[in-house]
Amino acid sequence: MNYPTDLKYSKSHEWVRMEDGVAVIGISDFAQSELGDVVFINLPEVGDDTTAGEPFGDVESVKAVSDLISPVSGSVCAINEELLDAPEKLNENPYGAWIIKVENVGDQEELLDAEAYEKHCAEEKG
Amino acid sequence: MSELKRTQLYDTHVAAGATMVDFGGWEMPIKYPSDIVAEHLYTRHFCSLFDVSHMGRLLVEGPDRVKFLQHVLTSNVAGLDLNKAQYCIIPDENGCAIDDAYLYRFEEERFLLVVNAANTDKDLAHLMPIVEKYDCKLTNITADWAAIAVQGPKSKELMMTLSGGEAVTEPMKNALNTLELEGHLARVAKTGYTGEPLGYEVYVRSADAKWLWDRLCELGAKPAGLGARDTLRLEAGMPLYGHEMGVDPDGVPMPIFSVSLAKFAVSFSDLKGDYIGRKALEKQSETFKRIQNRDFSDMSAVPKSIRPIALLERGVMRAGMEVFRNGEKIGWVTSGTMVPYYKAEGEGLETVITDEVVKRAIGTCYIASDVLEDDTVEVDVRGKRVKAVIPARHLDTMAPPFARPIVYGVELSKRAESSEGRPARALELLKRAEENHIWRQKKCVNLIPSENTPSHAVQTLCASDPCCRYAEHKKVKSFYDKDIFYYQGTGFIDEVEQLAVEELKKYFGCTEVETRVISGQMSNMCVFSALMDWKNRLDRKHTPQRLGYVLNNHIIKGGHLSAQPMGALHDYIAVDPVTERSAVVNFPVCKDDIFRIDVEETKKVIDEYRPEFIIFGKSMVLRKEPVAEIRKYVDEQGIPTTIMYDMAHVLGLVGDYFQKPFEEGAEIVTGSTHKTFFGPQRGLVAVNYKEDELKYGLWETIENRAFPGSVSNHHLGTQLGLLMAVYEMNHFKDQYQKAVIENAKSFAKSLKAQGLNVCGDPSIGYTETHQVIVSVGYGEGAEIASRLEKNNVIVNYQATPDEEGFTASGALRMGVSEMTRFGFGAEDFDKLAQLMADCILRNKDVSEDVTKLRAAHTEMRYCFDDAQFDAALNELASKIGF
C-alpha cells in the first residue's frame, strides 16, 4: 500500500494536496483497494460548494456505493471529467487521478500526515 | 454468531489472496486480487473456477424417491432420464419458493438435489418431516463431496485435457456423466450459473478438491469469487433466491410464476399428483399465460414479474431501488450493478470480440406484470429518477462457444436502397447473375454435399414450357384408379410423370413412387402426415393421435433437420406424457466411431420404446445405415413399426456400391433429387408395398397427402427435368456411383496425408458415402469455411457429434459428387487436398490455383452427348430462347 508523504489524508480516506491555495482532492490507495473495481463515479459541477465532512459525490464499485467526503469547505473550481468515462483510473493510479479541485478553501477537517494515516488504516483493517 | 463453515478449498482461497466474507454461514471468497471485473471478463473470454462446495447437496434414495420428489418439487421427476439434470423449485402451499434447486440423476436409483447454501437448513427443516412419510431417505452429503464450477469458452478444452480426450458429457445442456479425470472419480454436469454455453459443475470427493482446483489453474483457468458469480448470473438473467425469489422488499412472498423460468421448472403432469402448491401454481400458470397473451384483466395471482432492466442514462442500479412508470411506483430493482463486457465488432458470423472493455448498468427488477418489452421506466437512484428500459435479455447463449452480451439499442446495418431506376436495377441483376454463374460453374470447386449441377439437358427441360403450367391430378376409384387431371393441355406432362415413376421404380427396385413433392423436406412431411392419417383412419371422431415413439438420428449426431421435431416432424410428433417432451428417441452411436449407429444399443432402445416409426438417414453421413440388421430384429421381436430411410444425401448412390434400401428391408424411402442424384431441386417418396398388402393403404394415403395434402401444382418444369435426370442416372449409375465412392475415399486419404484431421474410421477409408469430414478445431469451422470460399473452395462448416451447435462448428463437411460429375479423379482430389491444406494450415492464397484446377473440369460427365442428342438439345434450347 502506498502513502505518499507530500499529501494529507482525511480519516474517510480522501487525500488533499494544496496547490497555490487550491485543494486538489482524490481517494487514497487504501480506499481504492477496499472498494475494489470502481465502475462509476458521480461528480459535483464546477461552482458547487463543498462542506468539510459532507459528501461531494460518490463512487461505486461492482458491489457497493460509497460517498466521497470533502475534507475542506470551499467551491469546486475543476472536476476530472476523464473519470466519468474511465472511473477505473481511480484503481490504476489513485494519486494521479485527482477527482475535484476546490478554491476559496475555508474550514478543513482534521487531516493526517502519511504516517498517521497509515496507522489509521491499519487500525481500521483490524 | 455461530462459527462460519469452511469448504474443502478454504486454505487454497486464502493462500491465493482471496477476500473472504460470510455468505450464508460460509466463509467464502468474494473476490481474488484480480478483482470482480477481471474475473467476470476472464470467465466470458477463457475459463474461471468457482468453489460451489458450500451449496447444499442432498441425496435422495429408496423405493419412494420419485414419489417423494414429485410431491416436494415443481418439476416432473419421472421425466428425468439417467444422466440428465433439471432445474426445479421447492414450493410452499401458496405457490411461492422455499428455494430453487437443481436435481441430478447420476445414478439409476439415486437423485442428488443441490440447494442454495443459505437455505440448506431451512430446506431440510421443510423436507425432513415430509420424507418420513415415504419409503425413502434424504441425506445431507454436503461435506462428503466438493463442487467446482468450471465455466467459460475454454472449459471444455481444459476438462477434456483431464479426461484424456474423452467427451466430458454429451454436448447438450443439463447432460451428466461420471468419469475419471486423471484417475480421480468425478461426476460432471453440463450446468452452470454464469450463462456460459460451455461450462460444467464438477463434483469430486473432498480429498480431490484441491487437486482438481490446482490442476485446472495449471491449465490456465483462474479462480473467481462470489462477486463475479453474481455479476455473471445477473447478466445471464438467472434468478438468485433472496433477490428474484422469496419475499419482495415489502415482505410479500413472490409467486413462483413471477420468474419466467417457472414455465420450464413447473410441471402439471398427472404423474405429479396433488403436490405441494399445485393448486396455487395452476392458478399462477393460467394468469401467466394470460399475461403472455397481453390480457392484463386479472393479474392478481402474478401481479409483478421479474424482468431484465437496463439504465438508459448515467448511474448504477442497486437492489431495493424503486421503479416508476409515469410517476407511479410499479416495483423494485432486485439485482443491479455495473457489468463489464468485451465490445464486439462486425455482424453475424463475422462478429469479432475485441479486447476493449465496456461497462453497462444492468439489473433485474420485480415490476408490474403489464410492463411490455421495450417500455421505458424510471429508477430512483438515491433520489434521482434515472431513465431505464425493459429489454428482452442482457445476454444470449445460443451462439457457443461464447456468451454474447445483448446491448440495448444495437441495430443491424441496413442495405442502402439503390437510387437507380428499375430498368437499371434489372440490368444489374442480369450482370450479377452472370458473374455468379461463371464463378460457381467455372471458377469454384463446389464441395457442398447437398448440391450437384444438373446437365444441360436437365436444365433446358426445366426451362421449357411446362415450367409455367398447372397439372393437378388425382387417382379416382370410380375410374379404376385412373389419374384424372384437372387442367387441359396436360397430356404431355401426364406421360412424363408416368415415365419418371416407371424409371424410378426400376432405380429403387420398388413398387410405387410419388414424384410430385417438390423438396426433400416436403417428402418427409408428406410421409409423416400420411402415417398419422393412416394411424387414425379407423377413428375419425377424435382429434387424431400424433406419432410416437419415433426413432431417428439426433441432429447433433448427423440427423436430418427434416426428420426432427424442430423440422418436418414438428406437427406430427406426440408429446410423451411422462417426459413431457417430444416422443422421439435417437439411435445410439458407437463410442469409437460416432458416425456409426450402434446396432446392439439400438436394439435395447427398440425394446424399451417399441417405436412405431424408425427413420434412418443423415445429413452428415459417412457410414451405411444398418437397415437390414434392424429390420431383422424388429421382425424377430414382432414389433409393429414402419421403417423409412431418408436418403436425401445418398439418393444417387442407391445400388451395389452403397445400399439397396428396399432389399435391406426399408418400406419407405424419401429423398431430394439434387444432392448425389442428377435432378433439379425436387423430392420424392418411394415405397415397396404390394397391392394386396394391408400397408398398401398407407401408400394410397401418401399419394393423397402429396396431392392435395402438400402441393396443388407441383412445378412441372422441374418435373420434366427430373425424367431426364432419371434416364441419366439409370444409364450411368454404375460408373458414376463407383467413381463417387472411390473419389471420396481417395480425397479423404489425400487430406489425411496433407496433415488434416479427417474424421471417420480409417479402416474403411474414412467414408462409405460421397462425404468427407475434416475437423479443423473447435469453433474454427465457420472461419475456415469462409477462408476457403475466398479461395474459391465451397464447403459447409459443420458441428460434429460432440459439438454444441453451428457457431461452435469445428469441422468441414464436404461431398465429392458434383466435382466427380465434372470429371475430377483421384489426382485432381489429391491436388485439391494439397491446396486446401495450404489454405487451412498455412493460410496461403490458393485462389488462382483452385480456379486453374477447376478450369480443366467444366464439362459434365455421366450425361448423354452424342451428336443427334446434342443437335436436338440445341434445337430445344434455341426455341426456348437460349
Side-chain angles (χ1 to χ4, degrees):
Chain A
M1 208 64 66
N2 189 6
Y3 303 94
T5 50
D6 58 333
L7 301 175
K8 298 280 188 205
Y9 302 87
S10 69
K11 285 185 173 172
S12 53
H13 306 291
E14 287 80 16
W15 56 258
V16 187
R17 183 174 65 232
M18 294 304 295
E19 290 178 358
D20 301 331
V22 172
V24 182
I25 297 166
I27 59 169
S28 71
D29 193 11
F30 178 84
Q32 72 77 23
S33 163
E34 286 297 298
L35 280 167
D37 289 324
V38 175
V39 291
F40 190 77
I41 186 164
N42 260 318
L43 295 178
E45 285 175 22
V46 172
D48 285 358
D49 287 337
T50 63
T51 308
E54 296 289 324
F56 66 86
D58 52 64
V59 285
E60 305 213 22
S61 69
V62 176
K63 296 302 288 179
V65 52
S66 306
D67 284 332
L68 294 165
I69 307 294
S70 182
V72 298
S73 295
S75 72
V76 178
C77 60
I79 59 169
N80 187 352
E81 286 186 14
E82 199 189 356
L83 293 178
L84 294 173
D85 289 327
E88 62 275 8
K89 293 214 181 303
L90 292 173
N91 295 114
E92 291 160 6
N93 184 7
Y95 299 111
W98 60 274
I99 300 173
I100 55 170
K101 295 183 181 180
V102 175
E103 60 186 4
N104 305 325
V105 174
D107 290 346
Q108 291 194 3
E109 281 218 87
E110 181 201 351
L111 294 175
L112 310 173
D113 63 17
E115 195 183 334
Y117 177 63
E118 188 173 353
K119 207 173 146 213
H120 167 71
C121 292
E123 278 165 10
E124 203 163 89
K125 192 85 180 161
Chain B
M1 199 177 86
S2 62
E3 200 164 305
L4 292 177
K5 286 179 276 205
R6 292 175 175 179
T7 74
Q8 296 86 342
L9 290 163
Y10 173 83
D11 292 337
T12 311
H13 302 317
V14 172
T19 307
M20 305 299 284
V21 297
D22 172 7
F23 182 83
W26 291 78
E27 200 167 357
M28 297 297 291
I30 186 128
K31 60 178 187 179
Y32 294 82
S34 50
D35 217 334
I36 297 169
V37 168
E39 290 166 21
H40 180 112
L41 291 168
Y42 199 73
T43 314
R44 295 276 183 246
H45 153 79
F46 199 87
C47 177
S48 295
L49 304 180
F50 302 81
D51 180 8
V52 288
S53 305
H54 60 308
M55 297 191 76
R57 288 181 287 288
L58 312 176
L59 193 68
V60 183
E61 55 194 332
D64 274 355
R65 60 191 181 278
V66 173
K67 224 168 129 189
F68 163 68
L69 289 169
Q70 290 284 46
H71 187 63
V72 297
L73 301 180
T74 54
S75 58
N76 181 12
V77 180
L80 185 61
D81 293 333
L82 183 64
N83 279 330
K84 283 282 163 65
Q86 65 184 197
Y87 177 67
C88 57
I89 295 164
I90 305 174
D92 66 16
E93 278 301 346
N94 301 314
C96 300
I98 293 172
D99 200 358
D100 64 338
Y102 238 92
L103 185 68
Y104 298 84
R105 193 171 173 207
F106 283 109
E107 297 166 284
E108 192 72 55
E109 301 193 337
R110 291 160 147 186
F111 290 94
L112 180 67
L113 186 66
V114 177
V115 300
N116 281 300
N119 288 342
T120 309
D121 291 343
K122 180 178 77 169
D123 294 341
L124 283 170
H126 167 71
L127 296 173
M128 279 307 188
I130 304 172
V131 77
E132 279 169 17
K133 296 175 200 149
Y134 291 85
D135 185 10
C136 63
K137 66 174 182 175
L138 178 71
T139 323
N140 184 354
I141 58 158
T142 307
D144 304 344
W145 290 74
I148 296 172
V150 187
Q151 303 278 308
K154 287 283 175 190
S155 58
K156 186 170 176 171
E157 195 182 309
L158 304 194
M159 288 293 288
M160 279 180 77
T161 305
L162 299 186
S163 71
E166 192 189 328
V168 181
T169 65
E170 289 281 315
M172 288 76 92
K173 188 173 155 46
N174 289 341
L176 308 182
N177 194 15
T178 301
L179 73 169
E180 286 206 345
L181 301 176
E182 295 186 345
H184 306 259
L185 177 73
R187 294 201 187 280
V188 184
K190 196 158 188 299
T191 53
Y193 196 45
T194 57
E196 282 299 315
L198 294 188
Y200 305 90
E201 290 175 306
V202 187
Y203 298 91
V204 289
R205 291 200 181 96
S206 294
D208 292 333
K210 187 169 160 42
W211 164 79
L212 181 61
W213 187 272
D214 290 345
R215 189 74 184 89
L216 285 164
C217 287
E218 249 173 60
L219 293 174
K222 288 184 184 172
L226 293 172
R229 187 168 156 83
D230 192 44
T231 55
L232 288 159
R233 71 92 201 161
L234 186 156
E235 190 180 28
M238 294 167 143
L240 170 62
Y241 190 89
H243 288 251
E244 285 77 31
M245 275 182 196
V247 293
D248 71 17
D250 280 350
V252 178
M254 301 154 84
I256 285 171
F257 271 86
S258 301
V259 180
S260 60
L261 215 54
K263 205 166 52 177
F264 303 105
V266 179
S267 163
F268 299 113
S269 163
D270 291 343
L271 298 166
K272 285 188 65 65
D274 187 21
Y275 68 91
I276 295 173
R278 177 170 189 141
K279 282 194 183 60
L281 286 168
E282 278 173 347
K283 196 169 170 216
Q284 287 179 25
S285 172
E286 288 312 309
T287 306
F288 175 80
K289 286 184 213 158
R290 277 202 306 277
I291 291 167
Q292 295 302 308
N293 283 322
R294 299 195 181 179
D295 170 0
F296 306 123
S297 56
D298 177 8
M299 306 193 296
S300 56
V302 190
K304 292 190 178 72
S305 299
I306 295 292
R307 306 288 294 274
I309 183 168
L311 283 193
L312 295 173
E313 298 173 328
R314 278 176 52 79
V316 184
M317 283 175 288
R318 302 286 179 182
M321 288 180 178
E322 294 180 336
V323 180
F324 293 82
R325 171 178 57 188
N326 303 327
E328 176 204 0
K329 183 183 151 189
I330 54 167
W332 305 266
V333 172
T334 49
S335 299
T337 184
M338 207 67 157
V339 175
Y341 64 96
Y342 285 113
K343 200 171 166 184
E345 281 171 1
E347 291 183 357
L349 286 172
E350 313 280 300
T351 301
V352 175
I353 300 169
T354 70
D355 53 11
E356 186 187 343
V357 176
V358 199
K359 300 188 186 82
R360 52 181 178 159
I362 56 172
T364 307
C365 58
Y366 183 55
I367 53 170
S369 294
D370 59 353
V371 174
L372 299 178
E373 195 177 302
D374 290 332
D375 277 0
T376 50
V377 293
E378 287 183 326
V379 179
D380 187 322
V381 179
R382 282 173 287 117
K384 195 175 154 205
R385 295 281 169 92
V386 181
K387 229 164 115 186
V389 68
I390 306 303
R393 58 182 67 78
H394 296 314
L395 189 81
D396 193 85
T397 64
M398 296 309 280
F402 298 104
R404 318 270 174 169
I406 303 297
V407 180
Y408 191 77
V410 170
E411 279 184 23
L412 296 179
S413 57
K414 287 198 182 89
R415 176 181 292 274
E417 204 185 328
S418 167
S419 56
E420 302 276 3
R422 299 244 149 62
R425 287 193 237 175
L427 185 64
E428 171 73 7
L429 173 60
L430 291 180
K431 287 179 181 166
R432 296 282 312 279
E434 187 200 350
E435 212 173 273
N436 179 63
H437 186 86
I438 298 298
W439 180 53
R440 289 299 294 264
Q441 288 293 332
K442 308 285 182 200
K443 296 181 176 170
C444 279
V445 168
N446 295 301
L447 297 174
I448 306 273
S450 36
E451 295 175 355
N452 215 325
T453 297
S455 66
H456 287 152
V458 169
Q459 295 196 43
T460 307
L461 288 168
C462 290
S464 70
D465 179 80
C467 73
C468 45
R469 302 300 162 201
Y470 259 66
E472 293 173 355
H473 59 89
K474 195 174 185 316
K475 285 179 181 160
V476 177
K477 294 272 177 213
S478 315
F479 301 118
Y480 304 96
D481 268 346
K482 172 83 182 162
D483 244 323
I484 302 300
F485 278 66
Y486 296 6
Y487 290 79
Q488 293 309 116
T490 50
F492 173 58
I493 199 69
D494 180 12
E495 196 184 316
V496 164
E497 284 185 40
Q498 289 186 41
L499 289 169
V501 165
E502 290 311 313
E503 280 292 314
L504 282 164
K505 284 184 196 171
K506 290 194 188 88
Y507 178 68
F508 288 113
C510 70
T511 57
E512 302 287 356
V513 177
E514 173 60 71
T515 63
R516 284 174 293 182
V517 280
I518 57 169
S519 70
Q521 174 104 345
M522 186 188 280
S523 309
N524 282 6
M525 288 175 81
C526 172
V527 171
F528 303 157
S529 171
L531 260 176
M532 206 177 121
D533 195 65
W534 172 249
K535 175 179 182 173
N536 291 282
R537 72 192 185 281
L538 302 176
D539 177 8
R540 297 294 189 194
K541 292 185 175 168
H542 291 93
T543 306
Q545 286 176 29
R546 290 183 171 206
L547 305 174
Y549 262 82
V550 172
L551 174 61
N552 68 2
N553 285 297
H554 194 285
I555 190 152
I556 274 187
K557 310 277 185 227
H560 276 286
L561 191 59
S562 50
Q564 306 295 321
M566 70 162 100
L569 203 49
H570 188 269
D571 297 338
Y572 310 103
I573 189 75
V575 169
D576 180 330
V578 174
T579 64
E580 299 179 292
R581 293 188 297 270
S582 291
V584 168
V585 276
N586 304 122
F587 285 110
V589 296
C590 297
K591 279 213 162 65
D592 55 351
D593 183 359
I594 47 185
F595 296 94
R596 188 179 182 194
I597 288 175
D598 184 331
V599 172
E600 290 314 308
E601 288 298 313
T602 300
K603 289 176 182 173
K604 292 181 198 161
V605 171
I606 290 173
D607 284 341
E608 187 180 346
Y609 290 92
R610 299 182 76 83
E612 66 178 272
F613 188 32
I614 297 175
I615 310 174
F616 286 103
K618 295 176 178 177
S619 58
M620 176 170 54
V621 52
L622 295 179
R623 303 293 303 233
K624 294 171 184 169
E625 296 277 81
V627 180
E629 290 97 318
I630 298 305
R631 162 55 66 194
K632 183 163 175 273
Y633 187 71
V634 297
D635 285 353
E636 279 168 5
Q637 301 297 311
I639 293 168
T641 187
T642 299
I643 297 183
M644 169 175 134
Y645 191 168
D646 177 349
M647 296 191 79
H649 265 271
V650 290
L651 200 78
L653 301 179
V654 171
D656 295 334
Y657 300 97
F658 183 61
Q659 286 192 275
K660 293 179 173 173
F662 291 114
E663 275 184 25
E664 293 174 28
E667 295 159 59
I668 303 172
V669 166
T670 59
S672 44
T673 52
H674 49 268
K675 293 181 166 78
T676 44
F677 207 79
F678 292 161
Q681 293 181 330
R682 296 187 65 89
L684 56 78
V685 182
V687 308
N688 203 23
Y689 300 122
K690 297 180 185 62
E691 265 186 79
D692 55 357
E693 259 182 86
L694 172 67
K695 274 190 170 174
Y696 195 79
L698 172 58
W699 159 248
E700 290 177 320
T701 312
I702 289 171
E703 287 187 295
N704 185 273
R705 295 325 295 156
F707 174 82
S710 304
V711 281
S712 87
N713 185 44
H714 50 279
H715 299 190
L716 305 184
T718 53
Q719 176 75 263
L720 192 54
L722 178 62
L723 175 57
M724 180 60 77
V726 192
Y727 283 149
E728 291 170 350
M729 182 54 81
N730 276 345
H731 191 76
F732 293 105
K733 68 175 181 188
D734 282 341
Q735 298 119 282
Y736 167 72
Q737 292 175 345
K738 186 164 179 278
V740 166
I741 308 277
E742 282 176 1
N743 275 341
K745 287 182 195 284
S746 157
F747 187 35
K749 202 173 138 203
S750 295
L751 289 163
K752 183 76 185 175
Q754 289 295 335
L756 288 161
N757 185 6
V758 179
C759 299
D761 181 354
S763 74
I764 54 140
Y766 303 99
T767 178
E768 296 175 317
T769 71
H770 64 306
Q771 290 191 9
V772 176
I773 307 208
V774 168
S775 173
V776 290
Y778 187 76
E780 301 292 324
E783 195 275 315
I784 302 274
S786 158
R787 191 195 304 170
L788 285 166
E789 181 181 327
K790 291 187 186 98
N791 284 277
N792 300 324
V793 179
I794 312 291
V795 302
N796 278 128
Y797 59 89
Q798 170 84 40
T800 60
D802 48 13
E803 291 167 347
E804 284 71 17
F806 74 97
T807 51
S809 294
L812 307 176
R813 184 185 69 151
M814 298 172 281
V816 300
S817 43
E818 184 168 347
M819 289 301 108
T820 299
R821 242 200 140 186
F822 280 110
F824 266 47
E827 273 177 34
D828 304 299
F829 278 111
D830 191 56
K831 175 72 186 159
L832 176 62
Q834 200 183 312
L835 295 174
M836 287 179 67
D838 278 345
C839 177
I840 296 168
L841 302 174
R842 294 174 278 279
N843 209 355
K844 272 197 197 163
D845 180 347
V846 296
S847 54
E848 282 182 22
D849 293 325
V850 170
T851 298
K852 234 179 266 169
L853 178 63
R854 173 65 206 260
H857 299 284
T858 52
E859 197 168 322
M860 179 157 298
R861 312 289 171 94
Y862 314 109
C863 54
F864 306 107
D865 62 353
D866 64 63
Q868 208 183 348
F869 184 86
D870 282 350
L873 177 55
N874 288 337
E875 190 62 27
L876 173 63
S878 70
K879 295 284 165 25
I880 297 167
F882 284 4

